Structure formats: C-alpha cells, structure tokens
Amino acid sequence: MRLLGDWVFGPTGIETKQLPCNDYDQTAGAMRTTAAGVNHAQPGDPAKPAAAIVHIAGVADPPLRIQLGRDSYAAIANKLAFVAGERKMWHDLSVSTDHDEITPV
C-alpha cells in the first residue's frame, strides 16, 4: 500500500543517492534534506485537491487560478499584498511614462 505523501520518495518520487562530492551540500543537498524531512508530513490530502479540480472542471465559470491548500492560499495572499504595496508606491513613476497628450482615465 502506498502511503500518503509517497510522491516525494519512493518508486514514483524522487530517488536520492549518496554522492561522493559535498560541493552541493548547501544547495541540492539542502533540498534533499528538506524533502526527506517533510515526506509523510505534508499538510495536504492528495485526494482533496483532485476532487477540487474535478469540481472546478464542471462549473460554468471556473477560476483562472486556484490555490489549493492553506499554505498556497497564504503565499498568494502575501504575494498580492506585496505587489499591491509596490504598485501603490511606484504609481506616480508608472503613469509618468505616458504621452503628455494622454488624458488619464
């Protein structure tokens, strides 16, 4: 039986091998360690996003983008807040690049 979260490691997931070279310990090595640490501890239930995608496929007006999981939802909310703040901060410079004859809408 395949356990939830086996997508990270196992027959269909990431296969890792011990490398004799430690040059990548800070990059790829760190990612291997992180992946091993979260295997079987992912917050998401793989069956739930699958059901959500099937549901979305059947609605009349599906979303262009969907965040599945609290972590994804929070990450997108934070990104949108950052972009909104940056957009507001640079508004004057952004709109100053139009032709002078253009009337703002």
Side-chain angles (χ1 to χ4, degrees):
M1 178 171 97
R2 188 172 166 172
L3 298 173
L4 292 179
D6 271 350
W7 61 270
V8 176
F9 291 102
T12 60
I14 299 169
E15 296 295 328
T16 62
K17 307 242 183 272
Q18 186 63 20
L19 301 175
C21 176
N22 297 327
D23 292 347
Y24 301 102
D25 284 351
Q26 298 301 311
T27 55
M31 184 51 135
R32 280 193 302 274
T33 301
T34 298
V38 299
N39 194 29
H40 297 290
Q42 297 90 340
D45 176 348
K48 290 180 178 180
I53 292 167
V54 169
H55 170 75
I56 289 169
V59 299
D61 190 20
L64 294 175
R65 294 165 195 84
I66 186 71
Q67 298 83 50
L68 299 173
R70 292 176 191 271
D71 53 346
S72 176
Y73 192 87
I76 295 300
N78 291 337
K79 173 69 174 186
L80 291 173
F82 172 81
V83 170
E86 190 175 54
R87 180 178 166 263
K88 184 177 180 180
M89 183 170 46
W90 292 100
H91 169 269
D92 292 345
L93 179 67
S94 296
V95 299
S96 72
T97 62
D98 289 347
H99 284 285
D100 292 335
E101 303 81 34
I102 300 297
T103 305
V105 260

